[in-house]
Amino acid sequence: MVINIFIILLLLPLAVSADQDAFVGVNIGTALSDMPNPTQVVVLLKSQQIRHVRLYDADQAMLLALSGSGIQVTVTVPNQQLLAIAQSNATAANWVSRNILPHITTTNITAISVGNEVLTTTPNTASVLVSALKYIHSALIAASLDSQIKVSTVHSSSIILDSFPPSQAFFNRTWEPVMISLLEFLQSTESYLMLNVYPYSDYIQSNGAIPLDYALFRPLTPEKEAIDSNTLLHYTNVFDAVVDAAYFAMLYLNYTNIPIVVTESGWPSKGDSNEPDATLDNANTYNSNLIKHVLNTTGTPKHPGVATSTYIYELYNEDLKPGSVSEKNWGLFYSNGKPVYVLHLIDSGSVLANDTTDETYCVAKKDADKKMLQAALDWACGPGKVNCSVMLQGEPCYEPDTVVAHATYAFDSYYHRMGMADGTCNFNGVATISTTNPSRDGCTFPGSGGSNGSFINGTSVAPSTNSTTSVGFSVLDSVSFVRVFGACLWTMAFL
């Protein structure tokens, strides 16, 4: 009976919910011999539509450059400052006054991480960690910023022991008093647990026990899935297993309502001779699959549908990092802003569609509602002033004669006409950014450096998504209408 009750408790959903939609952010490390200036960094962030960043300090120049961008920023109190801040409220208030208050009206600071992996990197400060968090939070209360800025601290996943099956996981008992005090603070302030999750490290340290496909989010056949024998939950990737292990470790201490944000995760694109799986292809596969997994709000087996927002480690390759070759090659970009690799992000939104050579395309979502697609196509060929004549029968882009193919050409034409500006590849949610060239024989898309036709003279400001849709015309009707009357009577809008 006791065992049955235990299993039932494990299967009960934890009282965890997401306050916002899932997001993918990036960490910005600065150990580069030719680190771009803060303005250049922000230009890259904007071009990639990155809306969340984590800094390893509270660099004033970077916070100033982020001013007015709307990008949500997590700043960090460096480990070496913890002892001083934990000594008094006044020291913490001074830190907030110097590092937060000058920027808060223009830079969107949403979280402060007090220390980074303190328990595993600077254990001598562990006893004062929670005191430092409390003092920083008190300083935010005094400044009326406690509802705007969450306070937490980043942990390595290595503080979780016996992590598989996840239902048996618990925090290292050495740190249990600290964790109980921390979790009590996070719960009382409605903050979240910050956790670094590195399936690459787990894979390397497993000595072959963890399959590469399981670490990379690659599809597994049912017999290769890992099964938690206590809950019978099936795990198809290391990332989810580690996140659920953290949830179960909190449950072990009777905390069930603290969400998790993954503050670091990634895969190196290059390694030493003894790291054969640190490759461009594996890094691309892992990060592409991770981004899709997060943005699809898949959740974990224990918490399906609950967002696990994640910051990718990291924005740039850092050549000044000590250690192995892999330590220097976790970045998505080189210091000149060129991508280390182009992520496979079809149908997963525009964030980090990271081809900075402008080889990005706006394509119709294959699973989009056909009536919505047709209406958006009509708008593009009408008020959007795309020359859709190339999609007439006998013209280069007529085949395949489907609404998805025709909408893709029209959407991409409009997107590039508008300079690939933010919001110009949405069309009420039926379009998405892709890095795969959709051109086909005889039909060249604008993003590939050419076009089969020209835009109709004039411009059309994309109306808001609140506009109502009109009766849909077919693409051929749209073309004829524009040709004959030279005017647009549609009132619908999608962008």
Side-chain angles (χ1 to χ4, degrees):
M1 178 64 70
V2 173
I3 293 175
N4 288 339
I5 292 174
F6 174 69
I7 293 174
I8 290 172
L9 287 173
L10 289 179
L11 290 171
L12 288 175
L14 302 187
V16 174
S17 61
D19 291 333
Q20 59 180 344
D21 292 335
F23 66 80
V24 172
V26 295
N27 290 274
I28 303 178
T30 58
L32 289 75
S33 56
D34 50 355
M35 178 69 193
N37 66 54
T39 300
Q40 292 172 315
V41 174
V42 175
V43 167
L44 178 60
L45 295 173
K46 288 182 176 180
S47 74
Q48 299 304 301
Q49 301 192 46
I50 296 169
R51 302 302 182 200
H52 299 263
V53 299
R54 174 173 168 245
L55 309 180
Y56 289 98
D57 50 25
D59 182 80
Q60 300 298 288
M62 184 62 72
L63 290 174
L64 184 62
L66 287 163
S67 173
S69 68
I71 295 171
Q72 296 190 29
V73 185
T74 293
V75 299
T76 302
V77 177
N79 289 3
Q80 60 268 29
Q81 297 180 25
L82 284 183
L83 286 174
I85 286 176
Q87 295 301 312
S88 72
N89 225 335
T91 305
N94 184 49
W95 190 92
V96 170
S97 177
R98 286 185 292 105
N99 294 286
I100 304 299
L101 297 187
H103 305 282
I104 197 61
T105 57
T106 55
T107 301
N108 193 11
I109 301 172
T110 57
I112 298 173
S113 170
V114 182
N116 182 46
E117 297 190 345
V118 171
L119 302 185
T120 48
T121 60
T122 56
N124 61 305
T125 60
S127 60
V128 301
L129 175 61
V130 178
S131 294
L133 269 76
K134 290 179 177 178
Y135 281 142
I136 289 291
H137 185 251
S138 295
L140 293 176
I141 292 174
S144 299
L145 295 174
D146 55 301
S147 62
Q148 177 179 340
I149 302 176
K150 299 296 184 183
V151 179
S152 188
T153 185
V154 173
H155 294 292
S156 165
S157 63
S158 64
I159 68 168
I160 304 168
L161 302 183
D162 203 9
S163 59
F164 200 91
S167 60
Q168 295 182 184
F170 58 91
F171 294 117
N172 188 324
R173 298 280 162 67
T174 302
W175 308 121
E176 194 166 284
V178 176
M179 290 306 301
I180 291 174
S181 180
L182 171 65
L183 294 175
E184 188 66 30
F185 169 81
L186 297 178
Q187 179 176 265
S188 65
T189 59
E190 298 182 351
S191 189
Y192 44 84
L193 183 73
M194 294 177 167
L195 188 69
N196 291 344
V197 178
Y198 283 105
Y200 175 76
S201 300
D202 293 330
Y203 167 72
I204 294 298
Q205 294 165 12
S206 76
N207 294 317
I210 294 177
L212 181 61
D213 288 347
Y214 182 63
L216 291 172
F217 288 95
R218 283 178 177 153
L220 300 177
T221 56
E223 64 271 14
K224 291 186 177 181
E225 294 176 356
I227 302 175
D228 187 320
S229 57
N230 294 316
T231 63
L232 301 183
L233 293 174
H234 288 231
Y235 287 86
T236 60
N237 61 81
V238 174
F239 180 89
D240 283 350
V242 174
V243 171
D244 271 1
Y247 277 123
F248 277 110
M250 288 193 284
L251 175 62
Y252 183 86
L253 298 177
N254 297 316
Y255 291 90
T256 61
N257 58 350
I258 300 171
I260 291 172
V261 170
V262 173
T263 35
E264 293 179 17
S265 192
W267 196 282
S269 60
K270 187 178 181 181
D272 290 320
S273 58
N274 63 342
E275 295 180 287
D277 295 302
T279 66
L280 281 172
D281 183 61
N282 286 344
N284 195 342
T285 297
Y286 179 81
N287 282 325
S288 296
N289 287 338
L290 172 65
I291 292 169
K292 295 172 187 176
H293 186 68
V294 172
L295 295 184
N296 288 341
T297 320
T298 305
T300 66
K302 187 70 178 75
H303 303 295
V306 175
T308 308
S309 294
T310 301
Y311 294 84
I312 291 178
Y313 184 83
E314 59 188 337
L315 187 61
Y316 296 111
N317 275 345
E318 294 185 281
D319 62 303
L320 298 182
K321 272 288 189 71
S324 65
V325 171
S326 64
E327 284 298 316
K328 308 172 193 296
N329 288 279
W330 290 81
L332 299 173
F333 296 89
Y334 297 108
S335 59
N336 62 4
K338 298 299 181 184
V340 177
Y341 46 86
V342 178
L343 292 160
H344 305 310
L345 292 180
I346 299 173
D347 297 332
S348 64
S350 56
V351 63
L352 279 168
N354 68 352
D355 188 349
T356 53
T357 60
D358 291 341
E359 291 179 7
T360 56
Y361 307 87
C362 181
V363 301
K365 292 182 178 179
K366 294 179 181 178
D367 59 350
D369 180 85
K370 293 299 187 289
K371 290 182 179 179
M372 294 287 288
L373 271 180
Q374 183 64 63
L377 171 58
D378 294 340
W379 184 88
C381 294
K385 303 201 186 293
V386 171
N387 185 356
C388 294
S389 63
V390 295
M391 292 181 283
L392 288 166
Q393 188 168 7
E395 296 298 323
C397 298
Y398 174 72
E399 295 289 349
D401 182 19
T402 66
V403 67
V404 171
H406 289 171
T408 291
Y409 182 85
F411 293 172
D412 190 59
S413 297
Y414 182 85
Y415 171 63
H416 284 90
R417 179 193 185 198
M418 302 305 290
M420 299 177 290
D422 289 356
T424 58
C425 182
N426 185 298
F427 293 89
N428 234 15
V430 298
T432 187
I433 298 291
S434 170
T435 55
T436 300
N437 189 346
S439 298
R440 48 195 182 271
D441 290 345
C443 181
T444 304
F445 278 62
S448 58
S451 177
N452 302 280
S454 58
F455 293 103
I456 298 170
N457 291 333
T459 59
S460 175
V461 177
S464 73
T465 54
N466 294 324
S467 303
T468 57
T469 60
S470 70
V471 177
F473 293 84
S474 72
V475 62
L476 300 186
D477 290 339
S478 301
V479 171
S480 300
F481 190 90
V482 173
R483 279 180 166 176
V484 173
F485 294 101
C488 306
L489 300 180
W490 290 275
T491 59
M492 60 157 287
F494 284 88
L495 296 163

